Coordinates of all heavy atoms in Angstrom, one line a residue:
A28 N -30.5 4.1 -14.7 CA -29.1 3.6 -14.7 C -28.1 4.7 -15.2 O -27.0 4.3 -15.6 CB -29.0 2.4 -15.5
S29 N -28.5 5.9 -15.0 CA -27.5 7.0 -15.4 C -26.3 7.0 -14.6 O -26.3 6.8 -13.4 CB -28.2 8.4 -15.3 OG -27.2 9.4 -15.5
M30 N -25.1 7.0 -15.3 CA -23.8 7.1 -14.7 C -23.2 8.5 -14.7 O -22.1 8.7 -14.5 CB -22.9 6.1 -15.4 CG -23.3 4.6 -15.3 SD -23.0 4.0 -13.6 CE -24.7 3.4 -13.2
R31 N -24.0 9.5 -15.0 CA -23.5 10.9 -15.2 C -23.7 11.7 -14.0 O -23.0 12.7 -13.8 CB -24.2 11.5 -16.4 CG -23.9 10.8 -17.7 CD -24.4 11.6 -18.9 NE -25.8 11.8 -18.9 CZ -26.5 11.7 -20.0 NH1 -25.9 11.4 -21.1 NH2 -27.8 11.8 -19.9
C32 N -24.5 11.4 -13.0 CA -24.7 12.2 -11.8 C -25.3 11.4 -10.7 O -25.9 10.3 -11.0 CB -25.5 13.5 -12.1 SG -27.2 13.2 -12.5
A33 N -25.1 11.8 -9.5 CA -25.7 11.1 -8.3 C -27.1 11.6 -8.0 O -27.4 12.8 -8.1 CB -24.8 11.4 -7.1
L34 N -27.9 10.7 -7.5 CA -29.3 11.0 -7.2 C -29.4 11.1 -5.6 O -30.5 11.6 -5.2 CB -30.3 10.0 -7.7 CG -30.4 10.0 -9.2 CD1 -31.3 8.9 -9.7 CD2 -30.9 11.3 -9.8
M35 N -28.4 10.8 -4.9 CA -28.4 11.0 -3.4 C -27.0 11.2 -2.9 O -26.1 10.5 -3.4 CB -29.0 9.8 -2.7 CG -29.2 10.1 -1.2 SD -30.0 8.7 -0.3 CE -28.7 7.5 -0.3
G36 N -26.8 12.2 -2.0 CA -25.6 12.4 -1.4 C -25.8 12.4 0.2 O -26.9 12.0 0.6
D37 N -24.8 12.8 0.9 CA -24.8 12.7 2.3 C -26.0 13.5 3.0 O -26.6 13.1 3.9 CB -23.5 13.1 3.0 CG -23.0 14.5 2.7 OD1 -23.5 15.1 1.7 OD2 -22.1 15.0 3.4
L38 N -26.3 14.7 2.5 CA -27.3 15.5 3.1 C -28.7 14.9 3.0 O -29.5 14.9 3.9 CB -27.3 17.0 2.6 CG -26.0 17.8 2.8 CD1 -26.0 19.1 2.1 CD2 -25.7 17.9 4.3
I39 N -29.0 14.4 1.8 CA -30.3 13.8 1.6 C -30.3 12.5 2.4 O -31.4 12.1 2.9 CB -30.5 13.5 0.1 CG1 -30.7 14.9 -0.6 CG2 -31.8 12.7 -0.1 CD1 -30.8 14.8 -2.1
A40 N -29.2 11.7 2.4 CA -29.1 10.5 3.2 C -29.4 10.8 4.7 O -30.1 10.0 5.4 CB -27.8 9.8 3.0
E41 N -28.8 11.9 5.2 CA -29.0 12.3 6.6 C -30.4 12.6 6.9 O -31.0 12.2 7.9 CB -28.1 13.5 7.0 CG -26.6 13.1 7.1 CD -25.7 14.3 7.2 OE1 -26.2 15.5 7.4 OE2 -24.5 14.2 7.3
S42 N -31.1 13.2 5.9 CA -32.5 13.5 6.0 C -33.3 12.2 6.1 O -34.3 12.1 6.9 CB -33.0 14.3 4.8 OG -34.4 14.6 4.9
A43 N -32.9 11.2 5.3 CA -33.6 9.9 5.4 C -33.5 9.2 6.7 O -34.5 8.7 7.3 CB -33.0 9.0 4.2
V44 N -32.3 9.3 7.3 CA -32.1 8.7 8.7 C -33.0 9.5 9.7 O -33.6 8.9 10.5 CB -30.6 8.8 9.1 CG1 -30.4 8.4 10.5 CG2 -29.8 7.9 8.2
K45 N -32.9 10.8 9.6 CA -33.7 11.7 10.5 C -35.2 11.3 10.4 O -35.9 11.3 11.4 CB -33.5 13.1 10.1 CG -34.3 14.1 11.0 CD -34.1 15.5 10.5 CE -35.1 16.5 11.2 NZ -35.0 17.8 10.7
H46 N -35.7 11.0 9.2 CA -37.1 10.7 9.0 C -37.4 9.2 9.1 O -38.5 8.7 8.6 CB -37.6 11.3 7.7 CG -37.7 12.8 7.8 ND1 -36.6 13.6 7.4 CD2 -38.6 13.6 8.3 CE1 -36.9 14.8 7.6 NE2 -38.1 14.9 8.2
Q47 N -36.4 8.4 9.5 CA -36.6 7.0 9.9 C -36.8 6.0 8.7 O -37.4 5.0 8.8 CB -37.7 6.7 10.9 CG -37.4 7.5 12.2 CD -38.4 7.3 13.3 OE1 -39.6 7.3 13.0 NE2 -38.0 7.1 14.5
W48 N -36.3 6.3 7.5 CA -36.3 5.4 6.4 C -35.4 4.2 6.7 O -34.3 4.4 7.2 CB -35.9 6.1 5.1 CG -36.9 7.1 4.6 CD1 -37.1 8.4 5.0 CD2 -37.9 6.8 3.6 NE1 -38.2 8.9 4.3 CE2 -38.7 8.0 3.4 CE3 -38.2 5.7 2.8 CZ2 -39.7 8.1 2.5 CZ3 -39.3 5.8 1.9 CH2 -40.0 6.9 1.8
N49 N -35.8 3.0 6.3 CA -35.0 1.9 6.5 C -33.9 1.8 5.4 O -32.8 1.3 5.7 CB -35.8 0.6 6.4 CG -36.7 0.4 7.6 OD1 -36.6 1.1 8.5 ND2 -37.6 -0.6 7.5
G50 N -34.2 2.3 4.2 CA -33.2 2.2 3.2 C -33.6 2.9 1.9 O -34.8 3.4 1.8
V51 N -32.6 2.9 1.0 CA -32.8 3.6 -0.4 C -32.2 2.6 -1.4 O -31.0 2.3 -1.2 CB -32.3 5.0 -0.5 CG1 -32.5 5.6 -1.8 CG2 -32.8 5.9 0.7
I52 N -32.8 2.3 -2.5 CA -32.3 1.5 -3.6 C -32.3 2.4 -4.8 O -33.4 2.8 -5.2 CB -33.0 0.2 -3.7 CG1 -32.9 -0.7 -2.5 CG2 -32.5 -0.5 -5.0 CD1 -33.7 -1.9 -2.5
I53 N -31.2 2.7 -5.4 CA -31.1 3.6 -6.5 C -30.6 2.9 -7.8 O -29.4 2.4 -7.7 CB -30.3 4.8 -6.2 CG1 -30.9 5.6 -5.0 CG2 -30.1 5.7 -7.4 CD1 -30.1 6.8 -4.5
Y54 N -31.4 2.8 -8.7 CA -30.9 2.3 -10.1 C -30.2 3.5 -10.8 O -30.8 4.1 -11.7 CB -32.1 1.8 -10.9 CG -31.8 1.0 -12.1 CD1 -30.9 -0.1 -12.1 CD2 -32.3 1.4 -13.4 CE1 -30.6 -0.8 -13.3 CE2 -32.0 0.8 -14.5 CZ -31.1 -0.3 -14.5 OH -30.8 -1.0 -15.6
G55 N -29.1 3.8 -10.2 CA -28.3 5.0 -10.6 C -27.2 5.1 -9.6 O -26.7 4.2 -9.0
C56 N -26.7 6.4 -9.4 CA -25.5 6.6 -8.6 C -25.8 7.4 -7.3 O -26.8 8.1 -7.2 CB -24.5 7.5 -9.5 SG -23.8 6.6 -10.9
V57 N -24.8 7.3 -6.4 CA -24.8 8.1 -5.2 C -23.5 8.8 -5.1 O -22.6 8.6 -5.9 CB -25.0 7.2 -3.9 CG1 -26.4 6.6 -3.9 CG2 -23.9 6.1 -3.8
R58 N -23.4 9.7 -4.2 CA -22.1 10.4 -4.0 C -21.9 10.6 -2.5 O -22.7 10.2 -1.7 CB -22.0 11.8 -4.7 CG -23.0 12.8 -4.1 CD -23.0 14.0 -5.1 NE -23.0 15.2 -4.3 CZ -22.5 16.4 -4.6 NH1 -21.8 16.5 -5.8 NH2 -22.6 17.4 -3.8

């Protein structure tokens, strides 16, 4: 639940789409 930095941004999310992940749930932050 850290609010100090993001654990995923657009480049990592694009990689997830490319590799056919359905989704990501983060108990923390994104950017």
